[in-house]
Amino acid sequence: MNWLPIVLRLGLADIWHDRRTSGVLIFGIVSVTVPLLLLEAAREGIVGGMKEQLAQDPASTQIQPVGAGSYDERFLASLKDMEGVRYLIPATRLLASPVEFSRLGSRDRKVLGFMLPSSAGDPLTATIGGIVVGFDEIVLATPIADELRLKVGDRIIGRLTRGVGTPKFEVLERTLRVAGILPPSIAESNYVLMNPAFVYASEAFREHVASPEFSTTGEPAAHAKRVFPSFRLFAKHIEDVEPIRDWLAERGVRTSTRLRQISLVLSLDRTLRQSVLALAVPVAVGLVLTLTLLFWMNVRRKRRELCLLSVIGIPPIGLAVLPVSQAFVLSSLAVALSALLVLLGEPAINAAIRTRIAGVEIVLNAEPIYTIGLGALVILLGALASFGAGLSNARLIPSLGIQDGR
């Protein structure tokens, strides 16, 4: 006799027959799962939004050395090989980076900018399509572009100067094409991104070293290994900033980061996660105990009917499967209802709170993975709670149950 389909149909029929009791059980599970889902959605919405804002701002993942140092190729290679490093490029001294800019054909308005080397993979240029800056190209910060009224594709003049004896100066002019303009949220200062060869050649020019790139004369370039006074460094994720900073600190490199803001957000994230877990554990224990008691009472109440099933040929394992299958169905219905309530309520709650709190974009953000995980856990707990009732069913003695009439 194939007993499994019969047991499953009987379980569904019993749920429908006792639909009031089943409904109370389902809504009881919903009453504990929905608050947990909403709490996790709030954590993901608020903290996740803060983390996303930090991640979208390249300055949040930048580790900037303070002052001038002495970094050779070996040191920079070791740093670049670190896990968590997204981008690294050697940089020149700040005193070697100023350039005077003006519009091509007009010198009425001049702006001083500071060059930063930029190559493929630069997190700053990634915000404008991943532009790779050519030798005679430039990516401007918004303040310079606004001051000179420039747009992408315009031509500007860049002027480099070096002293050749008091009070004389030698001026080098280069015509540059504007390859891109960084958004105001990314670059608020007068920094410009330029090809590394251009930046290094500018430093050589100012230090009276012969520069083949600019066809300028001077002292011959040293053939010793290059040592750089600074570098531009970005981490892959905000969580990687602290380990990289600590690695540099161990080697005597002082840095400037946004670690304080990052630590605040990550600490808040950990605290809320622990809060959700602290609530989930007693809820899970209470749910298991409640369901265990309810299923056990159901077995006691229907002891005679269960004994009759045994008499007509349902084996003990079939009787044991009966409450487990019912628990699976009821828990699944409760999980589905909980997910539906959160899904329907999330937009309404976000809209209601957004009208009251300025700047709050997403208050609730229910992640499907968490909903699925919690749902699977609730179903597993339901099955665990019905396990005792299943064992009780399997141990029933048909003759005694029918004789007792209970």
Side-chain angles (χ1 to χ4, degrees), residues 360-379:
V360 175
E361 291 297 326
I362 299 178
V363 178
L364 298 182
N365 183 22
E367 289 289 335
I369 186 65
Y370 181 80
T371 304
I372 294 172
L374 181 61
L377 179 61
V378 169
I379 293 173

Side-chain angles (χ1 to χ4, degrees), residues 234-405:
F234 293 84
K236 291 179 181 178
H237 309 287
I238 58 175
E239 292 85 357
D240 298 323
V241 172
E242 186 172 7
I244 296 173
R245 186 209 61 171
D246 292 344
W247 187 89
L248 290 169
E250 291 173 359
R251 287 152 182 81
V253 181
R254 293 176 56 240
T255 56
S256 173
T257 66
R258 291 191 178 178
L259 192 56
R260 181 172 298 179
Q261 295 95 315
I262 294 172
S263 299
L264 178 62
V265 173
L266 296 181
S267 176
L268 180 61
D269 187 25
R270 287 192 297 269
T271 300
L272 289 179
R273 284 183 184 273
Q274 292 169 358
S275 299
V276 173
L277 182 61
L279 288 174
V281 170
V283 165
V285 173
L287 182 63
V288 170
L289 293 177
T290 301
L291 293 179
T292 300
L293 179 60
L294 290 175
F295 282 120
W296 182 80
M297 291 177 63
N298 194 45
V299 169
R300 298 294 296 175
R301 185 165 56 90
K302 298 179 179 180
R303 184 178 178 184
R304 185 172 184 275
E305 289 81 357
L306 293 170
C307 289
L308 288 174
L309 291 177
S310 180
V311 170
I312 64 175
I314 301 298
I317 189 173
L319 297 178
V321 168
L322 181 60
V324 176
S325 65
Q326 289 180 316
F328 178 83
V329 171
L330 293 172
S331 300
S332 299
L333 290 174
V335 168
L337 181 58
S338 299
L340 181 61
L341 289 175
V342 172
L343 181 65
L344 295 177
E346 180 182 323
I349 295 174
N350 283 336
I353 297 182
R354 190 180 297 123
T355 60
R356 292 172 172 79
I357 305 177
V360 175
E361 291 297 326
I362 299 178
V363 178
L364 298 182
N365 183 22
E367 289 289 335
I369 186 65
Y370 181 80
T371 304
I372 294 172
L374 181 61
L377 179 61
V378 169
I379 293 173
L380 179 63
L381 292 177
L384 179 63
S386 65
F387 185 72
L391 289 179
S392 180
N393 281 358
R395 293 173 180 172
L396 286 176
I397 302 176
S399 59
L400 294 180
I402 297 174
Q403 181 180 358
D404 292 342

Side-chain angles (χ1 to χ4, degrees), residues 156-172:
I156 64 173
I157 298 296
R159 295 180 185 84
L160 301 170
T161 61
R162 67 178 178 183
V164 291
T166 307
K168 297 180 181 180
F169 290 91
E170 182 180 355
V171 179
L172 174 67

